[in-house]
Amino acid sequence: MILGIECTAHTFGIGVVHNKKILANIRDMYRPEKGGIVPLDAAKHHQHIALSLYQQALDKANINEKNIKAIALSNAPGLAPCLLEGLRFAQQKAQSLSIPIIPVNHCIAHLEIGQHEGARDPVLLYTSGANTQIIAFSSGKYRVFGETLDIGIGNFLDKFARHVGIPFPGGPFIEKEAKKGTYIELPYTLKGMDVSFSGLYTKLIQLYNNKIPPPDLCFSLQETAFAMLVEAAERALAHTEKKELVLGGGVACNTRLQEMCKVMCKERKARFFCPKKEFLIDNAAMIAYTGELMFKAGVFSPPSQVNIEPRERTDEVDVTWK
Ligand code: AMP
Ligand code: MG
């Protein structure tokens, strides 16, 4: 059994995996009363909830903690206070059970969980709050083929929603509003396989201040921002000659984004994999799942030798387990 811990941002989670089977996936999300995430408050949330989620996960998996072979920890990338809280909890448990820790890169875990859906060698379109990247395996590493040049797609959605008075998370609200809207042209920024949202954001605020109805803005911003992402992903598929696309990250819960990916893949004769919602959003099952792959390849460390890596890049990780 591998126990996984997710702690990189707003979500704290505990998952249990055994031979690629997911036995538990428990999570709890910190919600700011207003505004965006306050890292220290999110860390306090994690500290407060950790032990109870740990117990719930063991109960759900119906195992004793003595069955745990190693603890997989999302030690990178993320908000330092949140990562530290996860590390503290993982070290304490690993030391008391005399088992090692497997340091897992959160972005890579979003990709690896796509295998659970049947993908073999995919391109990942990773669309979360802070991260927006197009990642694929090439020459021994997961490489970032494209990414946002400014803010993540989710932060962009949340920022716009906050401007029109909707609290975090804004994505689901925008999806609902978009159903009532019609199209207006907006700035479309795609450079190679990189995207940028700041011009789009500025234009949206101008239009909102000029009393353009929010449903039209929501519809058009989805059509524009998602088209940029899907075109970047298509370029990566063409460049790498890969034939599979996996979606990951909270924004991938959006059915319009899923639909656009599906159409693009069909046109290119590529296979499209969209994990279930509980594996799309930040979750510990994907950390445990990736941890198990790494553990079997001998990638783990004594608890005291593991550290957090808030800024670790996807392509800094040596992928020796593939
Ligand atoms: P993550 O950082 O991966 O946990 O994802 C959180 C982000 O997903 C937030 O920015 C949310 O606004 C966004 N999100 C969640 N559900 C949806 C949805 N249905 N449509 C668009 N964005 C969403
Ligand atoms: Mg994530």
Side-chain angles (χ1 to χ4, degrees), residues 205-239:
I205 299 304
Q206 278 170 4
L207 291 170
Y208 178 75
N209 293 342
N210 287 337
K211 309 268 181 284
I212 303 294
D216 291 352
L217 296 179
C218 291
F219 177 78
S220 308
L221 88 79
Q222 283 201 163
E223 294 304 302
T224 308
F226 295 166
M228 282 154 49
L229 295 173
V230 174
E231 185 174 351
E234 181 170 19
R235 288 182 180 191
L237 283 169
H239 176 77

PDB file of all heavy atoms in Angstrom, residues 205-239:
ATOM      1  N   ILE A 205     -12.593  43.368 -18.708  1.00  0.00           N
ATOM      2  CA  ILE A 205     -12.937  44.360 -17.677  1.00  0.00           C
ATOM      3  C   ILE A 205     -13.492  45.619 -18.345  1.00  0.00           C
ATOM      4  O   ILE A 205     -14.493  46.193 -17.900  1.00  0.00           O
ATOM      5  CB  ILE A 205     -11.697  44.692 -16.804  1.00  0.00           C
ATOM      6  CG1 ILE A 205     -11.197  43.429 -16.099  1.00  0.00           C
ATOM      7  CG2 ILE A 205     -12.003  45.787 -15.783  1.00  0.00           C
ATOM      8  CD1 ILE A 205     -12.209  42.709 -15.250  1.00  0.00           C
ATOM      9  N   GLN A 206     -12.850  46.026 -19.455  1.00  0.00           N
ATOM     10  CA  GLN A 206     -13.353  47.197 -20.202  1.00  0.00           C
ATOM     11  C   GLN A 206     -14.789  46.963 -20.645  1.00  0.00           C
ATOM     12  O   GLN A 206     -15.665  47.814 -20.482  1.00  0.00           O
ATOM     13  CB  GLN A 206     -12.503  47.442 -21.456  1.00  0.00           C
ATOM     14  CG  GLN A 206     -11.230  48.203 -21.198  1.00  0.00           C
ATOM     15  CD  GLN A 206     -10.320  48.189 -22.440  1.00  0.00           C
ATOM     16  OE1 GLN A 206     -10.695  47.675 -23.500  1.00  0.00           O
ATOM     17  NE2 GLN A 206      -9.128  48.733 -22.281  1.00  0.00           N
ATOM     18  N   LEU A 207     -15.040  45.803 -21.220  1.00  0.00           N
ATOM     19  CA  LEU A 207     -16.383  45.500 -21.730  1.00  0.00           C
ATOM     20  C   LEU A 207     -17.404  45.429 -20.585  1.00  0.00           C
ATOM     21  O   LEU A 207     -18.532  45.896 -20.716  1.00  0.00           O
ATOM     22  CB  LEU A 207     -16.371  44.178 -22.516  1.00  0.00           C
ATOM     23  CG  LEU A 207     -15.607  44.223 -23.843  1.00  0.00           C
ATOM     24  CD1 LEU A 207     -15.434  42.818 -24.417  1.00  0.00           C
ATOM     25  CD2 LEU A 207     -16.308  45.128 -24.850  1.00  0.00           C
ATOM     26  N   TYR A 208     -16.978  44.865 -19.467  1.00  0.00           N
ATOM     27  CA  TYR A 208     -17.869  44.783 -18.308  1.00  0.00           C
ATOM     28  C   TYR A 208     -18.216  46.194 -17.819  1.00  0.00           C
ATOM     29  O   TYR A 208     -19.381  46.503 -17.541  1.00  0.00           O
ATOM     30  CB  TYR A 208     -17.200  43.984 -17.190  1.00  0.00           C
ATOM     31  CG  TYR A 208     -18.036  43.900 -15.932  1.00  0.00           C
ATOM     32  CD1 TYR A 208     -19.146  43.056 -15.869  1.00  0.00           C
ATOM     33  CD2 TYR A 208     -17.740  44.694 -14.819  1.00  0.00           C
ATOM     34  CE1 TYR A 208     -19.937  42.988 -14.727  1.00  0.00           C
ATOM     35  CE2 TYR A 208     -18.516  44.635 -13.671  1.00  0.00           C
ATOM     36  CZ  TYR A 208     -19.609  43.788 -13.626  1.00  0.00           C
ATOM     37  OH  TYR A 208     -20.385  43.733 -12.504  1.00  0.00           O
ATOM     38  N   ASN A 209     -17.205  47.061 -17.756  1.00  0.00           N
ATOM     39  CA  ASN A 209     -17.453  48.444 -17.326  1.00  0.00           C
ATOM     40  C   ASN A 209     -18.326  49.195 -18.317  1.00  0.00           C
ATOM     41  O   ASN A 209     -19.003  50.156 -17.961  1.00  0.00           O
ATOM     42  CB  ASN A 209     -16.123  49.187 -17.106  1.00  0.00           C
ATOM     43  CG  ASN A 209     -15.349  48.601 -15.921  1.00  0.00           C
ATOM     44  OD1 ASN A 209     -15.936  47.900 -15.085  1.00  0.00           O
ATOM     45  ND2 ASN A 209     -14.055  48.862 -15.845  1.00  0.00           N
ATOM     46  N   ASN A 210     -18.310  48.743 -19.599  1.00  0.00           N
ATOM     47  CA  ASN A 210     -19.179  49.359 -20.620  1.00  0.00           C
ATOM     48  C   ASN A 210     -20.541  48.680 -20.683  1.00  0.00           C
ATOM     49  O   ASN A 210     -21.251  48.797 -21.681  1.00  0.00           O
ATOM     50  CB  ASN A 210     -18.507  49.296 -21.998  1.00  0.00           C
ATOM     51  CG  ASN A 210     -17.352  50.274 -22.092  1.00  0.00           C
ATOM     52  OD1 ASN A 210     -17.317  51.250 -21.350  1.00  0.00           O
ATOM     53  ND2 ASN A 210     -16.413  50.005 -22.981  1.00  0.00           N
ATOM     54  N   LYS A 211     -20.864  47.898 -19.640  1.00  0.00           N
ATOM     55  CA  LYS A 211     -22.201  47.312 -19.473  1.00  0.00           C
ATOM     56  C   LYS A 211     -22.561  46.216 -20.489  1.00  0.00           C
ATOM     57  O   LYS A 211     -23.731  46.002 -20.798  1.00  0.00           O
ATOM     58  CB  LYS A 211     -23.294  48.401 -19.499  1.00  0.00           C
ATOM     59  CG  LYS A 211     -23.056  49.572 -18.558  1.00  0.00           C
ATOM     60  CD  LYS A 211     -23.719  49.319 -17.217  1.00  0.00           C
ATOM     61  CE  LYS A 211     -23.543  50.469 -16.232  1.00  0.00           C
ATOM     62  NZ  LYS A 211     -22.214  50.566 -15.622  1.00  0.00           N
ATOM     63  N   ILE A 212     -21.554  45.554 -21.040  1.00  0.00           N
ATOM     64  CA  ILE A 212     -21.844  44.364 -21.862  1.00  0.00           C
ATOM     65  C   ILE A 212     -22.346  43.272 -20.912  1.00  0.00           C
ATOM     66  O   ILE A 212     -21.751  43.041 -19.865  1.00  0.00           O
ATOM     67  CB  ILE A 212     -20.581  43.883 -22.607  1.00  0.00           C
ATOM     68  CG1 ILE A 212     -20.000  44.998 -23.471  1.00  0.00           C
ATOM     69  CG2 ILE A 212     -20.854  42.632 -23.437  1.00  0.00           C
ATOM     70  CD1 ILE A 212     -20.844  45.456 -24.621  1.00  0.00           C
ATOM     71  N   PRO A 213     -23.435  42.574 -21.234  1.00  0.00           N
ATOM     72  CA  PRO A 213     -24.013  41.610 -20.295  1.00  0.00           C
ATOM     73  C   PRO A 213     -23.020  40.496 -19.914  1.00  0.00           C
ATOM     74  O   PRO A 213     -22.383  39.911 -20.798  1.00  0.00           O
ATOM     75  CB  PRO A 213     -25.199  41.014 -21.071  1.00  0.00           C
ATOM     76  CG  PRO A 213     -25.460  41.958 -22.183  1.00  0.00           C
ATOM     77  CD  PRO A 213     -24.186  42.687 -22.479  1.00  0.00           C
ATOM     78  N   PRO A 214     -22.892  40.200 -18.609  1.00  0.00           N
ATOM     79  CA  PRO A 214     -21.964  39.159 -18.153  1.00  0.00           C
ATOM     80  C   PRO A 214     -22.116  37.811 -18.863  1.00  0.00           C
ATOM     81  O   PRO A 214     -21.094  37.168 -19.158  1.00  0.00           O
ATOM     82  CB  PRO A 214     -22.248  39.049 -16.650  1.00  0.00           C
ATOM     83  CG  PRO A 214     -22.676  40.431 -16.274  1.00  0.00           C
ATOM     84  CD  PRO A 214     -23.470  40.937 -17.467  1.00  0.00           C
ATOM     85  N   PRO A 215     -23.338  37.333 -19.184  1.00  0.00           N
ATOM     86  CA  PRO A 215     -23.405  36.035 -19.885  1.00  0.00           C
ATOM     87  C   PRO A 215     -22.646  36.047 -21.214  1.00  0.00           C
ATOM     88  O   PRO A 215     -21.972  35.060 -21.548  1.00  0.00           O
ATOM     89  CB  PRO A 215     -24.906  35.827 -20.115  1.00  0.00           C
ATOM     90  CG  PRO A 215     -25.557  36.598 -19.029  1.00  0.00           C
ATOM     91  CD  PRO A 215     -24.687  37.822 -18.838  1.00  0.00           C
ATOM     92  N   ASP A 216     -22.722  37.167 -21.958  1.00  0.00           N
ATOM     93  CA  ASP A 216     -21.983  37.260 -23.227  1.00  0.00           C
ATOM     94  C   ASP A 216     -20.478  37.242 -22.970  1.00  0.00           C
ATOM     95  O   ASP A 216     -19.708  36.620 -23.722  1.00  0.00           O
ATOM     96  CB  ASP A 216     -22.361  38.534 -23.986  1.00  0.00           C
ATOM     97  CG  ASP A 216     -23.791  38.472 -24.507  1.00  0.00           C
ATOM     98  OD1 ASP A 216     -24.413  37.388 -24.412  1.00  0.00           O
ATOM     99  OD2 ASP A 216     -24.295  39.505 -24.996  1.00  0.00           O
ATOM    100  N   LEU A 217     -20.068  37.912 -21.902  1.00  0.00           N
ATOM    101  CA  LEU A 217     -18.638  37.935 -21.567  1.00  0.00           C
ATOM    102  C   LEU A 217     -18.174  36.527 -21.171  1.00  0.00           C
ATOM    103  O   LEU A 217     -17.117  36.066 -21.600  1.00  0.00           O
ATOM    104  CB  LEU A 217     -18.364  38.922 -20.429  1.00  0.00           C
ATOM    105  CG  LEU A 217     -18.670  40.389 -20.754  1.00  0.00           C
ATOM    106  CD1 LEU A 217     -18.388  41.272 -19.538  1.00  0.00           C
ATOM    107  CD2 LEU A 217     -17.848  40.864 -21.955  1.00  0.00           C
ATOM    108  N   CYS A 218     -18.979  35.854 -20.370  1.00  0.00           N
ATOM    109  CA  CYS A 218     -18.606  34.502 -19.911  1.00  0.00           C
ATOM    110  C   CYS A 218     -18.524  33.543 -21.091  1.00  0.00           C
ATOM    111  O   CYS A 218     -17.572  32.763 -21.217  1.00  0.00           O
ATOM    112  CB  CYS A 218     -19.609  33.987 -18.881  1.00  0.00           C
ATOM    113  SG  CYS A 218     -19.520  34.881 -17.319  1.00  0.00           S
ATOM    114  N   PHE A 219     -19.531  33.594 -21.961  1.00  0.00           N
ATOM    115  CA  PHE A 219     -19.533  32.709 -23.127  1.00  0.00           C
ATOM    116  C   PHE A 219     -18.295  32.973 -23.988  1.00  0.00           C
ATOM    117  O   PHE A 219     -17.558  32.056 -24.354  1.00  0.00           O
ATOM    118  CB  PHE A 219     -20.815  32.926 -23.955  1.00  0.00           C
ATOM    119  CG  PHE A 219     -20.868  32.105 -25.205  1.00  0.00           C
ATOM    120  CD1 PHE A 219     -21.204  30.758 -25.151  1.00  0.00           C
ATOM    121  CD2 PHE A 219     -20.556  32.665 -26.441  1.00  0.00           C
ATOM    122  CE1 PHE A 219     -21.245  29.983 -26.307  1.00  0.00           C
ATOM    123  CE2 PHE A 219     -20.590  31.902 -27.606  1.00  0.00           C
ATOM    124  CZ  PHE A 219     -20.936  30.560 -27.534  1.00  0.00           C
ATOM    125  N   SER A 220     -18.045  34.230 -24.265  1.00  0.00           N
ATOM    126  CA  SER A 220     -16.969  34.582 -25.194  1.00  0.00           C
ATOM    127  C   SER A 220     -15.599  34.332 -24.594  1.00  0.00           C
ATOM    128  O   SER A 220     -14.660  33.938 -25.294  1.00  0.00           O
ATOM    129  CB  SER A 220     -17.101  36.046 -25.608  1.00  0.00           C
ATOM    130  OG  SER A 220     -18.421  36.280 -26.062  1.00  0.00           O
ATOM    131  N   LEU A 221     -15.490  34.546 -23.285  1.00  0.00           N
ATOM    132  CA  LEU A 221     -14.171  34.289 -22.684  1.00  0.00           C
ATOM    133  C   LEU A 221     -13.876  32.801 -22.680  1.00  0.00           C
ATOM    134  O   LEU A 221     -12.735  32.384 -22.907  1.00  0.00           O
ATOM    135  CB  LEU A 221     -14.067  34.933 -21.299  1.00  0.00           C
ATOM    136  CG  LEU A 221     -14.495  34.247 -20.008  1.00  0.00           C
ATOM    137  CD1 LEU A 221     -13.452  33.255 -19.524  1.00  0.00           C
ATOM    138  CD2 LEU A 221     -14.709  35.286 -18.947  1.00  0.00           C
ATOM    139  N   GLN A 222     -14.896  31.978 -22.456  1.00  0.00           N
ATOM    140  CA  GLN A 222     -14.664  30.516 -22.533  1.00  0.00           C
ATOM    141  C   GLN A 222     -14.254  30.119 -23.945  1.00  0.00           C
ATOM    142  O   GLN A 222     -13.280  29.381 -24.135  1.00  0.00           O
ATOM    143  CB  GLN A 222     -15.934  29.757 -22.148  1.00  0.00           C
ATOM    144  CG  GLN A 222     -16.217  29.710 -20.674  1.00  0.00           C
ATOM    145  CD  GLN A 222     -17.163  28.568 -20.279  1.00  0.00           C
ATOM    146  OE1 GLN A 222     -17.228  28.214 -19.119  1.00  0.00           O
ATOM    147  NE2 GLN A 222     -17.890  27.994 -21.201  1.00  0.00           N
ATOM    148  N   GLU A 223     -15.036  30.596 -24.941  1.00  0.00           N
ATOM    149  CA  GLU A 223     -14.727  30.223 -26.328  1.00  0.00           C
ATOM    150  C   GLU A 223     -13.301  30.626 -26.692  1.00  0.00           C
ATOM    151  O   GLU A 223     -12.576  29.873 -27.348  1.00  0.00           O
ATOM    152  CB  GLU A 223     -15.717  30.894 -27.296  1.00  0.00           C
ATOM    153  CG  GLU A 223     -17.153  30.415 -27.170  1.00  0.00           C
ATOM    154  CD  GLU A 223     -17.296  28.902 -27.323  1.00  0.00           C
ATOM    155  OE1 GLU A 223     -16.898  28.355 -28.351  1.00  0.00           O
ATOM    156  OE2 GLU A 223     -17.810  28.277 -26.366  1.00  0.00           O
ATOM    157  N   THR A 224     -12.893  31.813 -26.251  1.00  0.00           N
ATOM    158  CA  THR A 224     -11.589  32.335 -26.649  1.00  0.00           C
ATOM    159  C   THR A 224     -10.447  31.664 -25.883  1.00  0.00           C
ATOM    160  O   THR A 224      -9.507  31.134 -26.480  1.00  0.00           O
ATOM    161  CB  THR A 224     -11.551  33.865 -26.410  1.00  0.00           C
ATOM    162  OG1 THR A 224     -12.689  34.447 -27.052  1.00  0.00           O
ATOM    163  CG2 THR A 224     -10.278  34.474 -26.974  1.00  0.00           C
ATOM    164  N   ALA A 225     -10.542  31.675 -24.552  1.00  0.00           N
ATOM    165  CA  ALA A 225      -9.439  31.137 -23.743  1.00  0.00           C
ATOM    166  C   ALA A 225      -9.274  29.634 -23.987  1.00  0.00           C
ATOM    167  O   ALA A 225      -8.154  29.132 -24.108  1.00  0.00           O
ATOM    168  CB  ALA A 225      -9.690  31.410 -22.262  1.00  0.00           C
ATOM    169  N   PHE A 226     -10.379  28.913 -24.075  1.00  0.00           N
ATOM    170  CA  PHE A 226     -10.280  27.460 -24.267  1.00  0.00           C
ATOM    171  C   PHE A 226      -9.767  27.129 -25.665  1.00  0.00           C
ATOM    172  O   PHE A 226      -9.012  26.174 -25.851  1.00  0.00           O
ATOM    173  CB  PHE A 226     -11.631  26.776 -24.008  1.00  0.00           C
ATOM    174  CG  PHE A 226     -12.107  26.877 -22.575  1.00  0.00           C
ATOM    175  CD1 PHE A 226     -13.429  26.566 -22.235  1.00  0.00           C
ATOM    176  CD2 PHE A 226     -11.256  27.279 -21.554  1.00  0.00           C
ATOM    177  CE1 PHE A 226     -13.873  26.656 -20.919  1.00  0.00           C
ATOM    178  CE2 PHE A 226     -11.691  27.379 -20.236  1.00  0.00           C
ATOM    179  CZ  PHE A 226     -13.002  27.067 -19.929  1.00  0.00           C
ATOM    180  N   ALA A 227     -10.181  27.932 -26.658  1.00  0.00           N
ATOM    181  CA  ALA A 227      -9.678  27.692 -28.021  1.00  0.00           C
ATOM    182  C   ALA A 227      -8.162  27.863 -28.061  1.00  0.00           C
ATOM    183  O   ALA A 227      -7.448  27.109 -28.728  1.00  0.00           O
ATOM    184  CB  ALA A 227     -10.357  28.628 -29.014  1.00  0.00           C
ATOM    185  N   MET A 228      -7.650  28.861 -27.314  1.00  0.00           N
ATOM    186  CA  MET A 228      -6.195  29.055 -27.248  1.00  0.00           C
ATOM    187  C   MET A 228      -5.520  27.800 -26.677  1.00  0.00           C
ATOM    188  O   MET A 228      -4.511  27.318 -27.204  1.00  0.00           O
ATOM    189  CB  MET A 228      -5.866  30.259 -26.340  1.00  0.00           C
ATOM    190  CG  MET A 228      -6.075  31.616 -26.992  1.00  0.00           C
ATOM    191  SD  MET A 228      -6.423  32.982 -25.820  1.00  0.00           S
ATOM    192  CE  MET A 228      -5.157  32.789 -24.591  1.00  0.00           C
ATOM    193  N   LEU A 229      -6.097  27.279 -25.598  1.00  0.00           N
ATOM    194  CA  LEU A 229      -5.513  26.101 -24.943  1.00  0.00           C
ATOM    195  C   LEU A 229      -5.556  24.879 -25.856  1.00  0.00           C
ATOM    196  O   LEU A 229      -4.588  24.116 -25.953  1.00  0.00           O
ATOM    197  CB  LEU A 229      -6.271  25.784 -23.641  1.00  0.00           C
ATOM    198  CG  LEU A 229      -6.171  26.832 -22.537  1.00  0.00           C
ATOM    199  CD1 LEU A 229      -7.096  26.475 -21.384  1.00  0.00           C
ATOM    200  CD2 LEU A 229      -4.731  26.939 -22.046  1.00  0.00           C
ATOM    201  N   VAL A 230      -6.701  24.710 -26.502  1.00  0.00           N
ATOM    202  CA  VAL A 230      -6.869  23.520 -27.343  1.00  0.00           C
ATOM    203  C   VAL A 230      -5.963  23.612 -28.574  1.00  0.00           C
ATOM    204  O   VAL A 230      -5.377  22.614 -28.995  1.00  0.00           O
ATOM    205  CB  VAL A 230      -8.362  23.331 -27.718  1.00  0.00           C
ATOM    206  CG1 VAL A 230      -8.536  22.193 -28.708  1.00  0.00           C
ATOM    207  CG2 VAL A 230      -9.186  23.070 -26.456  1.00  0.00           C
ATOM    208  N   GLU A 231      -5.807  24.825 -29.104  1.00  0.00           N
ATOM    209  CA  GLU A 231      -4.898  24.966 -30.254  1.00  0.00           C
ATOM    210  C   GLU A 231      -3.449  24.690 -29.827  1.00  0.00           C
ATOM    211  O   GLU A 231      -2.692  24.024 -30.547  1.00  0.00           O
ATOM    212  CB  GLU A 231      -5.014  26.356 -30.891  1.00  0.00           C
ATOM    213  CG  GLU A 231      -4.162  26.437 -32.157  1.00  0.00           C
ATOM    214  CD  GLU A 231      -4.303  27.718 -32.959  1.00  0.00           C
ATOM    215  OE1 GLU A 231      -5.190  28.538 -32.655  1.00  0.00           O
ATOM    216  OE2 GLU A 231      -3.505  27.880 -33.907  1.00  0.00           O
ATOM    217  N   ALA A 232      -3.066  25.171 -28.655  1.00  0.00           N
ATOM    218  CA  ALA A 232      -1.704  24.904 -28.158  1.00  0.00           C
ATOM    219  C   ALA A 232      -1.501  23.396 -27.976  1.00  0.00           C
ATOM    220  O   ALA A 232      -0.450  22.849 -28.335  1.00  0.00           O
ATOM    221  CB  ALA A 232      -1.469  25.647 -26.848  1.00  0.00           C
ATOM    222  N   ALA A 233      -2.511  22.730 -27.423  1.00  0.00           N
ATOM    223  CA  ALA A 233      -2.410  21.275 -27.219  1.00  0.00           C
ATOM    224  C   ALA A 233      -2.319  20.557 -28.561  1.00  0.00           C
ATOM    225  O   ALA A 233      -1.558  19.598 -28.715  1.00  0.00           O
ATOM    226  CB  ALA A 233      -3.612  20.772 -26.421  1.00  0.00           C
ATOM    227  N   GLU A 234      -3.072  21.037 -29.540  1.00  0.00           N
ATOM    228  CA  GLU A 234      -3.030  20.412 -30.864  1.00  0.00           C
ATOM    229  C   GLU A 234      -1.648  20.583 -31.496  1.00  0.00           C
ATOM    230  O   GLU A 234      -1.109  19.658 -32.110  1.00  0.00           O
ATOM    231  CB  GLU A 234      -4.106  21.010 -31.787  1.00  0.00           C
ATOM    232  CG  GLU A 234      -4.078  20.347 -33.156  1.00  0.00           C
ATOM    233  CD  GLU A 234      -5.258  20.708 -34.038  1.00  0.00           C
ATOM    234  OE1 GLU A 234      -5.915  21.739 -33.765  1.00  0.00           O
ATOM    235  OE2 GLU A 234      -5.522  19.956 -34.995  1.00  0.00           O
ATOM    236  N   ARG A 235      -1.059  21.755 -31.305  1.00  0.00           N
ATOM    237  CA  ARG A 235       0.298  21.965 -31.819  1.00  0.00           C
ATOM    238  C   ARG A 235       1.281  20.990 -31.175  1.00  0.00           C
ATOM    239  O   ARG A 235       2.180  20.472 -31.826  1.00  0.00           O
ATOM    240  CB  ARG A 235       0.740  23.412 -31.556  1.00  0.00           C
ATOM    241  CG  ARG A 235       0.014  24.400 -32.441  1.00  0.00           C
ATOM    242  CD  ARG A 235       0.493  25.815 -32.214  1.00  0.00           C
ATOM    243  NE  ARG A 235      -0.238  26.740 -33.077  1.00  0.00           N
ATOM    244  CZ  ARG A 235       0.077  28.011 -33.263  1.00  0.00           C
ATOM    245  NH1 ARG A 235       1.107  28.527 -32.621  1.00  0.00           N
ATOM    246  NH2 ARG A 235      -0.629  28.770 -34.066  1.00  0.00           N
ATOM    247  N   ALA A 236       1.098  20.757 -29.870  1.00  0.00           N
ATOM    248  CA  ALA A 236       1.992  19.817 -29.165  1.00  0.00           C
ATOM    249  C   ALA A 236       1.793  18.399 -29.688  1.00  0.00           C
ATOM    250  O   ALA A 236       2.769  17.651 -29.858  1.00  0.00           O
ATOM    251  CB  ALA A 236       1.749  19.873 -27.661  1.00  0.00           C
ATOM    252  N   LEU A 237       0.556  18.025 -29.946  1.00  0.00           N
ATOM    253  CA  LEU A 237       0.292  16.694 -30.516  1.00  0.00           C
ATOM    254  C   LEU A 237       0.980  16.557 -31.867  1.00  0.00           C
ATOM    255  O   LEU A 237       1.620  15.538 -32.163  1.00  0.00           O
ATOM    256  CB  LEU A 237      -1.219  16.474 -30.682  1.00  0.00           C
ATOM    257  CG  LEU A 237      -2.014  16.149 -29.411  1.00  0.00           C
ATOM    258  CD1 LEU A 237      -3.515  16.232 -29.679  1.00  0.00           C
ATOM    259  CD2 LEU A 237      -1.660  14.765 -28.862  1.00  0.00           C
ATOM    260  N   ALA A 238       0.857  17.589 -32.692  1.00  0.00           N
ATOM    261  CA  ALA A 238       1.461  17.547 -34.025  1.00  0.00           C
ATOM    262  C   ALA A 238       2.983  17.477 -33.916  1.00  0.00           C
ATOM    263  O   ALA A 238       3.641  16.680 -34.579  1.00  0.00           O
ATOM    264  CB  ALA A 238       1.040  18.785 -34.820  1.00  0.00           C
ATOM    265  N   HIS A 239       3.545  18.295 -33.026  1.00  0.00           N
ATOM    266  CA  HIS A 239       5.004  18.377 -32.888  1.00  0.00           C
ATOM    267  C   HIS A 239       5.597  17.067 -32.353  1.00  0.00           C
ATOM    268  O   HIS A 239       6.636  16.611 -32.832  1.00  0.00           O
ATOM    269  CB  HIS A 239       5.340  19.532 -31.940  1.00  0.00           C
ATOM    270  CG  HIS A 239       6.796  19.664 -31.650  1.00  0.00           C
ATOM    271  ND1 HIS A 239       7.684  20.226 -32.543  1.00  0.00           N
ATOM    272  CD2 HIS A 239       7.530  19.288 -30.573  1.00  0.00           C
ATOM    273  CE1 HIS A 239       8.899  20.185 -32.033  1.00  0.00           C
ATOM    274  NE2 HIS A 239       8.830  19.627 -30.831  1.00  0.00           N
TER     275      HIS A 239
END
